[in-house]
Amino acid sequence: MPITHITNEYAIPRGRVYFDPFDSNGALTGEIPLGNCPGFSFTAETEKAEHFSSEAGLAEKDAALIVKVNRTGSLTCDNFSLDNLALFVSGTKETQSQSAGDVTDEAYTVQQGRIYQLGVGSSAPAGVRNITNVVVTSSDGLTTYVLGTAYNMDLELGRLQIISGGPIANGTAIKVDYKTTLKSWVRVKSGSTAEVSGALRVVADNASGTNRAWYMPKVTLTPSGEIPIIQEGTDFTTMEFGVEVLKAANREALYIDGRPAA
């Protein structure tokens, strides 16, 4: 009988990536689908302790032991969901709520041509949204300014523009009254740490090669590089993460599972 040779397996890897963040107690909170990730690479580096014999004139290596292993990865994602942005800024996703009410005598000292965000405060650091009934007056209340002549408004974003060449001179103190409407929107805000920790799973759906699932019970994701907020051209923007693969208690650092046999 001739020698039987193996059948080579050639891979064109594809798959879906999921991140399961830890809470403050180190418990998993549920996997977040990261969406389209065009690149995820895994790297293993080792360090050896080498021993050389001193029993002869030529010192020859007679032992080499691996004493350290460092497992890392690099993840590229082009799905700009709020969950992914929160991971990149090492922050949180939250709902910002705005109550309905009347705002009176919000004071500004203004310059012509400039824009002022209304409603900025400790509870609304980015200002108000969806306002109505805007009235702009001089600080003494004796002059009421006319929309389109003295100022322009973006009611949806709550932004006031002082018209260049209009009747509101540079350095004028004004007051703004308006009504807020009951609204809420989703916000991402940065956190106080530069990395987030959790478990990482890659479920393969390869163009070629056996589908396997990679599971790392404990990793840290560290944002790497830049995100263009404005750019020319038509290239899709990506976000990059460094992945530090750690060994969790009572677990191995990495599991690669095949699919159950039929």
Side-chain angles (χ1 to χ4, degrees):
M1 294 289 292
I3 294 175
T4 301
H5 299 287
I6 65 168
T7 300
N8 291 307
E9 182 177 325
Y10 302 110
I12 303 176
R14 303 283 191 271
R16 300 179 185 273
V17 183
Y18 302 86
F19 180 68
D20 194 345
F22 294 141
D23 64 13
S24 58
N25 296 318
L28 296 171
T29 57
E31 296 184 356
I32 300 170
L34 299 189
N36 192 61
C37 294
F40 181 37
S41 60
F42 176 81
T43 302
E45 297 175 336
T46 58
E47 181 179 325
K48 291 183 178 181
E50 298 178 337
H51 183 271
F52 291 84
S53 171
S54 58
E55 294 181 327
L58 177 64
E60 296 187 270
K61 186 190 298 185
D62 59 2
L65 302 176
I66 296 177
V67 293
K68 289 183 181 180
V69 59
N70 182 32
R71 301 178 180 95
T72 59
S74 177
L75 175 64
T76 301
C77 185
D78 59 12
N79 173 33
F80 273 73
S81 67
L82 288 178
D83 284 320
N84 288 356
L85 285 173
L87 291 175
F88 192 83
V89 301
S90 303
T92 55
K93 185 178 71 171
E94 64 182 16
T95 298
Q96 173 70 14
S97 298
Q98 173 182 289
S99 59
D102 295 314
V103 177
T104 59
D105 296 340
E106 194 166 284
Y108 298 89
T109 299
V110 298
Q111 301 289 323
Q112 290 191 351
R114 299 193 183 182
I115 298 173
Y116 299 86
Q117 176 64 54
L118 302 183
V120 174
S122 57
S123 62
V128 294
R129 301 289 186 271
N130 291 90
I131 61 175
T132 62
N133 296 48
V134 177
V135 177
V136 180
T137 65
S138 57
S139 59
D140 57 15
L142 299 178
T143 303
T144 299
Y145 297 107
V146 178
L147 176 66
T149 301
Y151 66 96
N152 294 320
M153 278 300 309
D154 183 334
L155 296 174
E156 182 181 8
L157 297 179
R159 293 168 65 75
L160 167 73
Q161 180 185 46
I162 306 303
I163 295 177
S164 295
I168 303 178
N170 288 334
T172 298
I174 65 170
K175 291 183 178 180
V176 184
D177 298 346
Y178 55 91
K179 290 181 179 293
T180 57
T181 57
L182 180 61
K183 293 291 180 181
S184 64
W185 58 92
V186 181
R187 161 182 293 163
V188 169
K189 66 178 182 181
S190 60
S192 58
T193 61
E195 62 185 21
V196 289
S197 298
L200 192 68
R201 187 187 306 272
V202 181
V203 179
D205 188 7
N206 294 330
S208 175
T210 302
N211 289 324
R212 301 182 177 95
W214 293 56
Y215 183 64
M216 289 146 268
K218 184 178 181 181
V219 305
T220 58
L221 289 185
T222 305
S224 176
E226 61 182 26
I227 292 180
I229 298 175
I230 296 176
Q231 68 177 15
E232 294 185 5
T234 57
D235 293 337
F236 290 101
T237 299
T238 62
M239 60 180 77
E240 309 283 339
F241 295 93
V243 181
E244 191 84 14
V245 183
L246 306 173
K247 189 180 185 305
N250 304 314
R251 302 279 184 91
E252 298 303 326
L254 172 66
Y255 297 89
I256 305 174
D257 287 312
R259 302 291 169 85

PDB file of all heavy atoms in Angstrom, residues 32-56:
ATOM      1  N   ILE A  32     -21.660  41.449  23.624  1.00  0.00           N
ATOM      2  CA  ILE A  32     -21.980  42.525  22.690  1.00  0.00           C
ATOM      3  C   ILE A  32     -21.479  42.109  21.312  1.00  0.00           C
ATOM      4  O   ILE A  32     -20.280  41.875  21.130  1.00  0.00           O
ATOM      5  CB  ILE A  32     -21.296  43.836  23.098  1.00  0.00           C
ATOM      6  CG1 ILE A  32     -21.746  44.279  24.497  1.00  0.00           C
ATOM      7  CG2 ILE A  32     -21.563  44.935  22.080  1.00  0.00           C
ATOM      8  CD1 ILE A  32     -20.930  45.434  25.046  1.00  0.00           C
ATOM      9  N   PRO A  33     -22.359  41.990  20.310  1.00  0.00           N
ATOM     10  CA  PRO A  33     -21.863  41.723  18.946  1.00  0.00           C
ATOM     11  C   PRO A  33     -21.123  42.954  18.422  1.00  0.00           C
ATOM     12  O   PRO A  33     -21.693  44.052  18.364  1.00  0.00           O
ATOM     13  CB  PRO A  33     -23.144  41.458  18.144  1.00  0.00           C
ATOM     14  CG  PRO A  33     -24.245  41.303  19.152  1.00  0.00           C
ATOM     15  CD  PRO A  33     -23.826  42.080  20.355  1.00  0.00           C
ATOM     16  N   LEU A  34     -19.874  42.788  18.044  1.00  0.00           N
ATOM     17  CA  LEU A  34     -19.094  43.926  17.568  1.00  0.00           C
ATOM     18  C   LEU A  34     -19.366  44.239  16.105  1.00  0.00           C
ATOM     19  O   LEU A  34     -18.913  45.270  15.607  1.00  0.00           O
ATOM     20  CB  LEU A  34     -17.600  43.667  17.775  1.00  0.00           C
ATOM     21  CG  LEU A  34     -17.148  43.462  19.226  1.00  0.00           C
ATOM     22  CD1 LEU A  34     -15.633  43.437  19.306  1.00  0.00           C
ATOM     23  CD2 LEU A  34     -17.721  44.509  20.155  1.00  0.00           C
ATOM     24  N   GLY A  35     -20.102  43.389  15.413  1.00  0.00           N
ATOM     25  CA  GLY A  35     -20.412  43.661  14.015  1.00  0.00           C
ATOM     26  C   GLY A  35     -19.245  43.320  13.111  1.00  0.00           C
ATOM     27  O   GLY A  35     -18.399  42.472  13.426  1.00  0.00           O
ATOM     28  N   ASN A  36     -19.179  43.994  11.983  1.00  0.00           N
ATOM     29  CA  ASN A  36     -18.168  43.649  10.977  1.00  0.00           C
ATOM     30  C   ASN A  36     -16.765  43.981  11.469  1.00  0.00           C
ATOM     31  O   ASN A  36     -16.447  45.148  11.739  1.00  0.00           O
ATOM     32  CB  ASN A  36     -18.458  44.392   9.676  1.00  0.00           C
ATOM     33  CG  ASN A  36     -17.626  43.837   8.535  1.00  0.00           C
ATOM     34  OD1 ASN A  36     -17.737  42.678   8.178  1.00  0.00           O
ATOM     35  ND2 ASN A  36     -16.776  44.676   7.954  1.00  0.00           N
ATOM     36  N   CYS A  37     -15.940  42.960  11.584  1.00  0.00           N
ATOM     37  CA  CYS A  37     -14.546  43.120  12.003  1.00  0.00           C
ATOM     38  C   CYS A  37     -13.666  42.531  10.900  1.00  0.00           C
ATOM     39  O   CYS A  37     -13.479  41.303  10.844  1.00  0.00           O
ATOM     40  CB  CYS A  37     -14.287  42.417  13.327  1.00  0.00           C
ATOM     41  SG  CYS A  37     -15.174  43.133  14.721  1.00  0.00           S
ATOM     42  N   PRO A  38     -13.125  43.368  10.017  1.00  0.00           N
ATOM     43  CA  PRO A  38     -12.352  42.837   8.889  1.00  0.00           C
ATOM     44  C   PRO A  38     -10.987  42.280   9.254  1.00  0.00           C
ATOM     45  O   PRO A  38     -10.315  41.711   8.398  1.00  0.00           O
ATOM     46  CB  PRO A  38     -12.219  44.052   7.958  1.00  0.00           C
ATOM     47  CG  PRO A  38     -12.398  45.242   8.834  1.00  0.00           C
ATOM     48  CD  PRO A  38     -13.325  44.828   9.929  1.00  0.00           C
ATOM     49  N   GLY A  39     -10.584  42.425  10.516  1.00  0.00           N
ATOM     50  CA  GLY A  39      -9.293  41.865  10.899  1.00  0.00           C
ATOM     51  C   GLY A  39      -9.218  41.540  12.372  1.00  0.00           C
ATOM     52  O   GLY A  39      -9.618  42.339  13.215  1.00  0.00           O
ATOM     53  N   PHE A  40      -8.746  40.319  12.684  1.00  0.00           N
ATOM     54  CA  PHE A  40      -8.434  39.944  14.059  1.00  0.00           C
ATOM     55  C   PHE A  40      -7.264  38.983  14.005  1.00  0.00           C
ATOM     56  O   PHE A  40      -7.372  37.880  13.460  1.00  0.00           O
ATOM     57  CB  PHE A  40      -9.639  39.301  14.746  1.00  0.00           C
ATOM     58  CG  PHE A  40      -9.365  38.917  16.191  1.00  0.00           C
ATOM     59  CD1 PHE A  40      -8.570  39.701  17.000  1.00  0.00           C
ATOM     60  CD2 PHE A  40      -9.904  37.758  16.724  1.00  0.00           C
ATOM     61  CE1 PHE A  40      -8.317  39.367  18.310  1.00  0.00           C
ATOM     62  CE2 PHE A  40      -9.659  37.397  18.043  1.00  0.00           C
ATOM     63  CZ  PHE A  40      -8.867  38.208  18.838  1.00  0.00           C
ATOM     64  N   SER A  41      -6.139  39.396  14.540  1.00  0.00           N
ATOM     65  CA  SER A  41      -4.937  38.561  14.520  1.00  0.00           C
ATOM     66  C   SER A  41      -4.539  38.211  15.949  1.00  0.00           C
ATOM     67  O   SER A  41      -4.754  38.997  16.877  1.00  0.00           O
ATOM     68  CB  SER A  41      -3.786  39.273  13.809  1.00  0.00           C
ATOM     69  OG  SER A  41      -3.464  40.492  14.454  1.00  0.00           O
ATOM     70  N   PHE A  42      -3.955  37.040  16.096  1.00  0.00           N
ATOM     71  CA  PHE A  42      -3.531  36.523  17.401  1.00  0.00           C
ATOM     72  C   PHE A  42      -2.027  36.300  17.360  1.00  0.00           C
ATOM     73  O   PHE A  42      -1.495  35.733  16.405  1.00  0.00           O
ATOM     74  CB  PHE A  42      -4.263  35.208  17.703  1.00  0.00           C
ATOM     75  CG  PHE A  42      -3.838  34.550  18.976  1.00  0.00           C
ATOM     76  CD1 PHE A  42      -4.343  34.967  20.195  1.00  0.00           C
ATOM     77  CD2 PHE A  42      -2.924  33.498  18.963  1.00  0.00           C
ATOM     78  CE1 PHE A  42      -3.958  34.343  21.375  1.00  0.00           C
ATOM     79  CE2 PHE A  42      -2.535  32.874  20.128  1.00  0.00           C
ATOM     80  CZ  PHE A  42      -3.051  33.307  21.340  1.00  0.00           C
ATOM     81  N   THR A  43      -1.333  36.727  18.416  1.00  0.00           N
ATOM     82  CA  THR A  43       0.120  36.615  18.487  1.00  0.00           C
ATOM     83  C   THR A  43       0.510  35.955  19.806  1.00  0.00           C
ATOM     84  O   THR A  43      -0.041  36.299  20.857  1.00  0.00           O
ATOM     85  CB  THR A  43       0.787  38.000  18.390  1.00  0.00           C
ATOM     86  OG1 THR A  43       0.407  38.629  17.167  1.00  0.00           O
ATOM     87  CG2 THR A  43       2.306  37.879  18.441  1.00  0.00           C
ATOM     88  N   ALA A  44       1.448  35.014  19.741  1.00  0.00           N
ATOM     89  CA  ALA A  44       2.002  34.393  20.949  1.00  0.00           C
ATOM     90  C   ALA A  44       3.517  34.590  20.941  1.00  0.00           C
ATOM     91  O   ALA A  44       4.191  34.286  19.955  1.00  0.00           O
ATOM     92  CB  ALA A  44       1.651  32.915  21.006  1.00  0.00           C
ATOM     93  N   GLU A  45       4.031  35.117  22.026  1.00  0.00           N
ATOM     94  CA  GLU A  45       5.476  35.311  22.182  1.00  0.00           C
ATOM     95  C   GLU A  45       5.928  34.554  23.424  1.00  0.00           C
ATOM     96  O   GLU A  45       5.242  34.573  24.454  1.00  0.00           O
ATOM     97  CB  GLU A  45       5.813  36.794  22.323  1.00  0.00           C
ATOM     98  CG  GLU A  45       5.445  37.622  21.097  1.00  0.00           C
ATOM     99  CD  GLU A  45       5.692  39.101  21.318  1.00  0.00           C
ATOM    100  OE1 GLU A  45       5.704  39.527  22.497  1.00  0.00           O
ATOM    101  OE2 GLU A  45       5.879  39.816  20.330  1.00  0.00           O
ATOM    102  N   THR A  46       7.064  33.913  23.336  1.00  0.00           N
ATOM    103  CA  THR A  46       7.573  33.140  24.468  1.00  0.00           C
ATOM    104  C   THR A  46       8.965  33.615  24.850  1.00  0.00           C
ATOM    105  O   THR A  46       9.694  34.202  24.042  1.00  0.00           O
ATOM    106  CB  THR A  46       7.631  31.637  24.132  1.00  0.00           C
ATOM    107  OG1 THR A  46       8.465  31.440  22.975  1.00  0.00           O
ATOM    108  CG2 THR A  46       6.242  31.082  23.853  1.00  0.00           C
ATOM    109  N   GLU A  47       9.312  33.348  26.096  1.00  0.00           N
ATOM    110  CA  GLU A  47      10.653  33.636  26.599  1.00  0.00           C
ATOM    111  C   GLU A  47      11.219  32.360  27.186  1.00  0.00           C
ATOM    112  O   GLU A  47      10.539  31.663  27.948  1.00  0.00           O
ATOM    113  CB  GLU A  47      10.594  34.740  27.654  1.00  0.00           C
ATOM    114  CG  GLU A  47      11.951  35.122  28.220  1.00  0.00           C
ATOM    115  CD  GLU A  47      11.864  36.240  29.241  1.00  0.00           C
ATOM    116  OE1 GLU A  47      11.020  37.132  29.065  1.00  0.00           O
ATOM    117  OE2 GLU A  47      12.639  36.199  30.231  1.00  0.00           O
ATOM    118  N   LYS A  48      12.449  32.055  26.834  1.00  0.00           N
ATOM    119  CA  LYS A  48      13.078  30.815  27.278  1.00  0.00           C
ATOM    120  C   LYS A  48      14.191  31.093  28.285  1.00  0.00           C
ATOM    121  O   LYS A  48      14.901  32.099  28.201  1.00  0.00           O
ATOM    122  CB  LYS A  48      13.670  30.050  26.093  1.00  0.00           C
ATOM    123  CG  LYS A  48      12.648  29.463  25.133  1.00  0.00           C
ATOM    124  CD  LYS A  48      13.334  28.676  24.038  1.00  0.00           C
ATOM    125  CE  LYS A  48      12.323  28.037  23.097  1.00  0.00           C
ATOM    126  NZ  LYS A  48      12.985  27.245  22.034  1.00  0.00           N
ATOM    127  N   ALA A  49      14.325  30.180  29.215  1.00  0.00           N
ATOM    128  CA  ALA A  49      15.505  30.129  30.079  1.00  0.00           C
ATOM    129  C   ALA A  49      16.436  29.064  29.494  1.00  0.00           C
ATOM    130  O   ALA A  49      16.044  27.900  29.378  1.00  0.00           O
ATOM    131  CB  ALA A  49      15.119  29.780  31.501  1.00  0.00           C
ATOM    132  N   GLU A  50      17.630  29.473  29.106  1.00  0.00           N
ATOM    133  CA  GLU A  50      18.559  28.564  28.434  1.00  0.00           C
ATOM    134  C   GLU A  50      19.707  28.185  29.376  1.00  0.00           C
ATOM    135  O   GLU A  50      20.207  29.015  30.143  1.00  0.00           O
ATOM    136  CB  GLU A  50      19.104  29.220  27.170  1.00  0.00           C
ATOM    137  CG  GLU A  50      18.015  29.540  26.148  1.00  0.00           C
ATOM    138  CD  GLU A  50      18.567  30.236  24.916  1.00  0.00           C
ATOM    139  OE1 GLU A  50      19.651  30.843  25.023  1.00  0.00           O
ATOM    140  OE2 GLU A  50      17.916  30.165  23.861  1.00  0.00           O
ATOM    141  N   HIS A  51      20.112  26.925  29.297  1.00  0.00           N
ATOM    142  CA  HIS A  51      21.214  26.441  30.129  1.00  0.00           C
ATOM    143  C   HIS A  51      22.333  25.932  29.234  1.00  0.00           C
ATOM    144  O   HIS A  51      22.082  25.228  28.250  1.00  0.00           O
ATOM    145  CB  HIS A  51      20.743  25.308  31.051  1.00  0.00           C
ATOM    146  CG  HIS A  51      21.817  24.827  31.967  1.00  0.00           C
ATOM    147  ND1 HIS A  51      22.707  23.817  31.639  1.00  0.00           N
ATOM    148  CD2 HIS A  51      22.150  25.235  33.211  1.00  0.00           C
ATOM    149  CE1 HIS A  51      23.539  23.615  32.622  1.00  0.00           C
ATOM    150  NE2 HIS A  51      23.234  24.453  33.613  1.00  0.00           N
ATOM    151  N   PHE A  52      23.554  26.305  29.581  1.00  0.00           N
ATOM    152  CA  PHE A  52      24.725  25.866  28.828  1.00  0.00           C
ATOM    153  C   PHE A  52      25.636  25.059  29.745  1.00  0.00           C
ATOM    154  O   PHE A  52      25.920  25.460  30.875  1.00  0.00           O
ATOM    155  CB  PHE A  52      25.476  27.077  28.266  1.00  0.00           C
ATOM    156  CG  PHE A  52      24.727  27.798  27.193  1.00  0.00           C
ATOM    157  CD1 PHE A  52      23.772  28.755  27.518  1.00  0.00           C
ATOM    158  CD2 PHE A  52      24.963  27.512  25.856  1.00  0.00           C
ATOM    159  CE1 PHE A  52      23.079  29.424  26.519  1.00  0.00           C
ATOM    160  CE2 PHE A  52      24.268  28.170  24.859  1.00  0.00           C
ATOM    161  CZ  PHE A  52      23.319  29.130  25.194  1.00  0.00           C
ATOM    162  N   SER A  53      26.084  23.927  29.246  1.00  0.00           N
ATOM    163  CA  SER A  53      26.964  23.055  30.029  1.00  0.00           C
ATOM    164  C   SER A  53      28.342  23.692  30.209  1.00  0.00           C
ATOM    165  O   SER A  53      28.879  24.324  29.286  1.00  0.00           O
ATOM    166  CB  SER A  53      27.112  21.704  29.314  1.00  0.00           C
ATOM    167  OG  SER A  53      28.117  20.928  29.935  1.00  0.00           O
ATOM    168  N   SER A  54      28.877  23.519  31.397  1.00  0.00           N
ATOM    169  CA  SER A  54      30.241  24.002  31.675  1.00  0.00           C
ATOM    170  C   SER A  54      31.204  22.842  31.905  1.00  0.00           C
ATOM    171  O   SER A  54      32.257  22.991  32.518  1.00  0.00           O
ATOM    172  CB  SER A  54      30.229  24.918  32.908  1.00  0.00           C
ATOM    173  OG  SER A  54      29.722  24.231  34.035  1.00  0.00           O
ATOM    174  N   GLU A  55      30.831  21.681  31.411  1.00  0.00           N
ATOM    175  CA  GLU A  55      31.645  20.491  31.633  1.00  0.00           C
ATOM    176  C   GLU A  55      32.738  20.315  30.594  1.00  0.00           C
ATOM    177  O   GLU A  55      33.564  19.415  30.710  1.00  0.00           O
ATOM    178  CB  GLU A  55      30.753  19.247  31.649  1.00  0.00           C
ATOM    179  CG  GLU A  55      29.790  19.236  32.824  1.00  0.00           C
ATOM    180  CD  GLU A  55      28.921  18.003  32.851  1.00  0.00           C
ATOM    181  OE1 GLU A  55      28.572  17.468  31.762  1.00  0.00           O
ATOM    182  OE2 GLU A  55      28.580  17.557  33.955  1.00  0.00           O
ATOM    183  N   ALA A  56      32.765  21.152  29.584  1.00  0.00           N
ATOM    184  CA  ALA A  56      33.813  21.057  28.567  1.00  0.00           C
ATOM    185  C   ALA A  56      34.209  22.468  28.143  1.00  0.00           C
ATOM    186  O   ALA A  56      33.541  23.458  28.490  1.00  0.00           O
ATOM    187  CB  ALA A  56      33.320  20.249  27.366  1.00  0.00           C
TER     188      ALA A  56
END
